[in-house]
Amino acid sequence: MPLHHISLPALSASPGPIAVMHPLPNEQNRSVLALNHACELWKLNLATGLAEQLLQVDIPEFNIHHPVQVVISKDGQYAAVSNCFGRHAAVYDLLARQQMMKLSRDDYHSEVCTFPLAFAEIDGRSLLIHGTLWNRVDLTDVLTGELLSSRPQAEYEDDGYLNYFHAKLYVSPDQQWVVDTGWVWQPVGIIRSWNVRAWLKNTRESEDGASVSSPWEILVDWDLPAAWVDSQTIAIWGQVDGDLFDEEDLPDEGALPVVMVFNVMTGERSIVLREAPAYETTSPIENVYPHPQGKLAVDGDRLFLWGRGLNMTVWNRHDGAQEAAEEAFCPDLYHEEGRLFLQLDSQGGISAWRHTP
């Protein structure tokens, strides 16, 4: 594979062992926000080596040794942190270096799907999409704390009742659309999407609004690996039940790993990768519910698939052809703006690679 090692300068201070990183918007395209095992958030500039400790994370029942998610606002000012499979989260102002708000969701099967968390920026306002109940997500203005999606909670058999477990969220690059990789009983994954701007006009948009689309409803898993191709198109790696597809779509039977691309504007979907590898689902961490152990990145016409126990593979998203493979290469993160694959070592060191066709 044409992967080339990129030299990084030594960090000016050591954050110690890092649990998770997330790219930060930066004019040099090489900054990350890192959460270390001491539950400290650090800003690391991988171009200059500058390392700054920002603040201490304080979240009830937080377990740094279990899967953690960090999501960041488009302007890089705010970060939300939670255990993936926990009930509690917090939002931090990275510039003021202080906590903005604490969040919680109910405990109904919260241990089996990711805490829904994502930022969207609409008309200069930073908005937070966050789970509050198993079948409810809300929209809050981060700066003011104003709840923008206030509405009565529909009861079972009421009009507008949503029988759906919200899970991992993905917001489009233009901040207009959110894709939800949740599930329903018994149990199957379902992809849902809706428009954020429409949500500001209709507080029930996330449940039964006109913009809601469900292009993929027969998945074996949820909390799926995904990456945006552009502001209208997202690629998602999942396992489908071939028994439920029409023969001309998928002639095989059983659980089949595929990569699907769908347009959130039209709901149109297509399976672009019918020979995708199967990711692991069993977690290596004790007492963590099984979930996809794969990661997906998009760079132009190429799809990158990797994960625990898998070789990294590169695919052409137009014709589905595999272009390259790299054994035992399992980076922790793809930094999209910097076009870098980043990998952590046990001491907090970071190595970088770039794919050059």
Side-chain angles (χ1 to χ4, degrees):
M1 175 186 288
L3 275 173
H4 303 284
H5 183 263
I6 304 297
S7 296
L8 301 177
L11 295 175
S12 61
S14 174
I18 296 172
V20 64
M21 297 184 297
H22 194 286
L24 275 170
N26 182 273
E27 65 275 6
Q28 296 172 315
N29 295 330
R30 287 196 187 181
S31 289
V32 298
L33 184 69
L35 179 66
N36 68 12
H37 281 231
C39 297
E40 299 164 342
L41 284 173
W42 286 65
K43 180 181 179 180
L44 308 178
N45 188 318
L46 304 182
T48 65
L50 180 62
E52 301 175 86
Q53 182 183 340
L54 300 181
L55 53 87
Q56 185 82 32
V57 167
D58 180 19
I59 300 172
E61 302 175 8
F62 189 72
N63 186 342
I64 194 65
H65 300 292
H66 277 200
V68 175
Q69 70 169 335
V70 175
V71 298
I72 297 176
S73 62
K74 183 181 180 181
D75 62 3
Q77 180 171 355
Y78 303 112
V81 181
S82 78
N83 275 124
C84 293
F85 310 112
R87 289 191 54 214
H88 306 287
V91 178
Y92 298 94
D93 185 327
L94 302 180
L95 299 183
R97 303 190 181 193
Q98 65 183 18
Q99 187 177 92
M100 294 286 291
M101 63 180 76
K102 290 186 176 181
L103 306 166
S104 295
R105 61 172 172 167
D106 68 325
D107 63 356
Y108 187 50
H109 295 300
S110 61
E111 77 284 357
V112 308
C113 50
T114 296
F115 195 129
L117 280 177
F119 289 98
E121 185 175 302
I122 301 292
D123 298 331
R125 287 196 299 174
S126 289
L127 310 179
L128 180 71
I129 306 166
H130 55 103
T132 46
L133 299 175
W134 64 274
N135 63 344
R136 178 185 177 113
V137 287
D138 276 302
L139 189 64
T140 297
D141 186 303
V142 177
L143 183 60
T144 66
E146 179 187 1
L147 178 65
L148 304 175
S149 55
S150 179
R151 63 204 187 274
Q153 179 65 20
E155 301 295 331
Y156 186 66
E157 295 184 350
D158 286 351
D159 290 340
Y161 179 80
L162 183 63
N163 185 23
Y164 180 81
F165 290 83
H166 295 285
K168 187 172 179 60
L169 304 177
Y170 297 89
V171 172
S172 61
D174 66 359
Q175 311 291 285
Q176 300 294 310
W177 294 89
V178 57
V179 169
D180 193 338
T181 60
W183 63 285
V184 301
W185 289 106
Q186 283 282 351
V188 293
I190 291 182
I191 305 298
R192 299 178 79 250
S193 66
W194 66 93
N195 186 272
V196 181
R197 192 176 289 278
W199 199 6
L200 290 170
K201 299 177 181 178
N202 171 23
T203 59
R204 299 200 62 88
E205 189 70 24
S206 64
E207 290 145 354
D208 58 4
S211 69
V212 172
S213 177
S214 296
W216 209 359
E217 299 187 351
I218 45 178
L219 292 150
V220 177
D221 310 305
W222 48 92
D223 285 334
L224 299 175
W228 289 93
V229 175
D230 54 43
S231 289
Q232 295 183 6
T233 312
I234 190 169
I236 300 179
W237 182 12
Q239 298 187 89
V240 301
D241 188 341
D243 296 337
L244 301 180
F245 268 80
D246 294 334
E247 184 175 348
E248 61 269 21
D249 294 329
L250 278 178
D252 296 325
E253 297 180 350
L256 305 172
V258 299
V259 173
M260 181 195 73
V261 169
F262 83 88
N263 185 299
V264 292
M265 290 281 291
T266 66
E268 181 182 359
R269 74 177 187 189
S270 61
I271 295 175
V272 299
L273 198 59
R274 298 170 182 266
E275 299 180 4
Y279 47 66
E280 291 278 352
T281 55
T282 302
S283 174
I285 305 172
E286 188 175 355
N287 297 323
V288 170
Y289 192 80
H291 60 282
Q293 306 286 298
K295 296 184 180 182
L296 167 65
V298 175
D299 185 351
D301 294 335
R302 291 174 177 82
L303 299 170
F304 298 86
L305 278 63
W306 73 96
R308 185 172 65 86
L310 291 178
N311 296 332
M312 172 178 274
T313 51
V314 184
W315 306 77
N316 185 295
R317 67 179 177 88
H318 296 294
D319 61 15
Q322 182 174 331
E323 296 184 352
E326 180 75 14
E327 289 189 23
F329 182 60
C330 189
D332 294 278
L333 172 70
Y334 180 64
H335 195 305
E336 184 175 357
E337 292 184 8
R339 300 183 64 239
L340 293 174
F341 292 98
L342 302 177
Q343 192 169 41
L344 294 163
D345 64 35
S346 60
Q347 303 303 311
I350 303 173
S351 301
W353 288 265
R354 178 173 288 132
H355 176 264
T356 305

